């Protein structure tokens, strides 16, 4: 990972897939870390034992206040979110509660405790809708196809406005499809984890649609590095964090099958409503302003993810 200056940090969602990797990186470079997570979509399994842990829902204002009081962070990484597109379609109010009101609660504590910087995990894949041009840059029109995308965008706008009003600096990171070790194979997203888990267990995974949907897959270690660089960058801004490349679902399947040495074919099912057909992200701005560049090519990232998943089966 890149080198960082030592800080007191608080990571919401720090027990989750991306958050737990970020916490490991922050701790290993000597930072103090407090994790705030209600474990609604995770467990303490990947939680770094050197982090202070507060099992708190970001909707619980008193609990959140206590965590901030105890940790007095300089920098807050806000990753806690209800991150399910299909659930957000069924229960948009639940999604908005956590992703919008929860973000407002985090911002309120940042104000109260004089936090100097917030780094927010947003989404590129769910904000731009079906792109009108590719690769989509940060100026691409916003057209979320799901309440999840709408709630993440609402959170972005609140962060911009409240941070500017209170002189808190902020970075918004809009990720592509993040993949890597620790991603749950039981969610609706995370095809790399889902396909790898199925094939390792001798099952044919399902491809929704014709397999030609294309996404920008970015390895979790690269996403962690983007967070670390954002922590040190002086200005405010929003940045796509992807690879400038698109890979189809079928290509992902083939890469995983060849890594596992499996000749099982995939099963095909109906395309899912609201699935963007093709998106990949222009990440030039992150390169120019954060000095961030993805380092892990898709075949290497898949190899590492499959190796990790194999260790989980034993
Ligand atoms: P994750 O579900 O593994 O992590 C989210 C964490 O937040 C979990 O540990 C969960 O328990 C916690 N959480 C949920 N609701 C909470 C609440 N009310 N209070 C406290 N904690 C709560 O998901 P992830 O993939 O690690 O995503 C992290 C962030 O990155 C999210 O904000 C997500 O929107 C964003 N993101 C992820 C991807 C991706 O491909 N994984 C893509 C774009 C954006």
């Amino acid at each position: 990972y890149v080198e960082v200056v030592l800080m007191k940090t608080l990571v919401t969602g720090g027990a989750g897939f991306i958050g737990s990797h970020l916490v490991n990186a922050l701790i290993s470079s000597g930072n103090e870390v407090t994790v705030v997570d209600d474990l609604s979509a995770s467990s303490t399994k990947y939680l770094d034992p050197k982090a202070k842990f507060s099992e708190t829902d970001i909707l619980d204002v008193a609990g959140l206040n206590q965590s901030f009081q105890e940790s007095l962070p300089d920098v807050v990484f806000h990753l806690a979110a209800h991150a399910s597109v299909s659930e957000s379609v069924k229960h948009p109010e639940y999604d908005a509660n956590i992703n919008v009101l929860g973000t407002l609660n985090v911002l309120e504590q940042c104000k109260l405790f004089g936090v100097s910087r917030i780094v927010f995990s947003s989404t590129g894949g769910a904000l731009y809708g079906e792109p009108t041009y590719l690769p989509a840059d940060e100026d691409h029109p916003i057209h979320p196809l799901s309440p999840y995308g709408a709630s993440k965008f609402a959170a972005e706008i609140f962060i911009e406005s409240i941070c500017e009003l209170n002189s808190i600096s902020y970075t918004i990171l809009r990720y592509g499809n993040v993949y890597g070790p620790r991603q749950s194979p039981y969610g609706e997203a995370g095809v790399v984890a889902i396909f790898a888990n199925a094939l390792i267990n001798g099952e044919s995974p399902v491809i929704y649609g014709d397999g030609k949907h294309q996404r920008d897959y970015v390895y979790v270690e690269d996403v962690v590095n983007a967070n670390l660089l954002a922590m040190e960058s002086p200005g405010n801004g929003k940045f796509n964090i992807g690879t400038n490349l698109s890979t189809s679902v079928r290509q992902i399947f083939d890469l995983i099958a060849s890594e596992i040495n499996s000749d099982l074919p995939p099963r095909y099912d109906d395309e899912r409503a609201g699935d963007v057909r093709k998106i990949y992200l222009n990440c030039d701005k992150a390169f120019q302003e954060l000095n961030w560049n993805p380092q892990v090519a898709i075949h290497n990232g898949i190899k590492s993810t499959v190796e990790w998943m194999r260790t989980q089966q034993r």
Side-chain angles (χ1 to χ4, degrees):
Y1 294 115
V2 291
E3 298 241 329
V4 289
V5 175
L6 305 189
M7 297 268 186
K8 281 187 178 177
T9 64
L10 184 145
V11 182
T12 73
F17 161 48
I18 301 170
S20 65
H21 285 282
L22 173 61
V23 171
N24 290 153
L26 287 168
I27 297 257
S28 71
S29 43
N31 297 281
E32 264 181 44
V33 184
T34 297
V35 169
V36 171
D37 197 304
D38 68 353
L39 304 180
S40 56
S42 56
S43 70
T44 54
K45 186 171 177 192
Y46 304 123
L47 193 62
D48 196 309
K50 293 197 183 118
K52 289 183 210 145
F53 175 51
S54 167
E55 187 174 340
T56 303
D57 183 339
I58 54 169
L59 295 176
D60 167 10
V61 175
L64 203 54
N65 182 270
Q66 199 182 336
S67 307
F68 271 74
Q69 192 145 28
E70 283 167 12
S71 62
L72 299 174
D74 308 304
V75 180
V76 169
F77 295 89
H78 179 35
L79 289 88
H82 183 238
S84 162
V85 169
S86 65
E87 284 292 311
S88 83
V89 172
K90 284 187 231 148
H91 304 290
E93 73 298 340
Y94 179 73
D95 198 76
N97 249 330
I98 296 168
N99 297 357
V100 185
L101 298 181
T103 297
L104 285 172
N105 290 344
V106 171
L107 286 166
E108 183 59 24
Q109 299 307 318
C110 291
K111 265 167 66 181
L112 283 176
F113 289 95
V115 166
S116 62
R117 181 161 197 81
I118 178 159
V119 181
F120 177 57
S121 285
S122 188
T123 164
L127 279 198
Y128 302 123
E130 196 64 61
T132 51
Y133 60 87
L134 284 166
D137 59 20
E138 292 83 355
D139 295 325
H140 185 282
I142 303 290
H143 183 62
L145 299 183
S146 67
Y148 164 71
S151 72
K152 295 297 282 190
F153 186 52
E156 282 193 6
I157 298 174
F158 276 117
I159 288 170
E160 285 180 78
S161 109
I162 291 172
C163 287
E164 274 164 30
L165 278 172
N166 294 280
S167 305
I168 303 171
S169 66
Y170 63 88
T171 304
I172 289 165
L173 300 174
R174 292 178 174 168
Y175 308 147
N177 280 44
V178 189
Y179 72 99
R182 301 183 188 168
Q183 188 166 35
S184 168
Y186 305 110
E188 58 167 12
V191 288
V192 174
I194 294 169
F195 289 0
N197 185 54
L199 288 177
I200 286 172
N201 288 300
E203 291 157 16
S204 286
V206 176
I207 291 180
Y208 295 99
D210 57 7
K212 293 184 182 154
H213 287 81
Q214 291 180 47
R215 296 282 181 278
D216 191 334
Y217 293 89
V218 57
Y219 192 61
V220 66
E221 215 169 88
D222 283 323
V223 169
V224 167
N225 276 336
N227 277 270
L228 299 179
L229 289 165
M231 163 166 153
E232 302 219 302
S233 104
N236 300 330
K238 19 180 189 285
F239 301 94
N240 284 341
I241 298 297
T243 61
N244 287 306
L245 295 169
S246 72
T247 310
S248 75
V249 177
R250 178 67 209 218
Q251 283 171 314
I252 292 284
F253 175 87
D254 290 340
L255 281 167
I256 295 173
S258 113
E259 190 57 45
I260 291 174
N261 257 327
S262 162
D263 51 13
L264 277 174
R267 290 178 288 140
Y268 284 90
D269 206 338
D270 292 344
E271 186 171 331
R272 289 183 298 195
D275 260 356
V276 174
R277 186 93 196 138
K278 177 170 182 176
I279 184 160
Y280 59 106
L281 304 174
N282 180 327
C283 304
D284 294 353
K285 194 171 166 226
F287 178 58
Q288 283 151 12
E289 293 182 32
L290 296 179
N291 198 21
W292 177 85
N293 222 353
Q295 302 292 316
V296 182
I298 186 81
H299 52 278
N300 289 333
I302 282 184
K303 190 174 168 37
S304 307
T305 309
V306 166
E307 273 167 13
W308 170 81
M309 198 155 264
R310 281 214 164 98
T311 67
Q312 302 302 296
Q313 316 287 318
R314 289 178 202 135

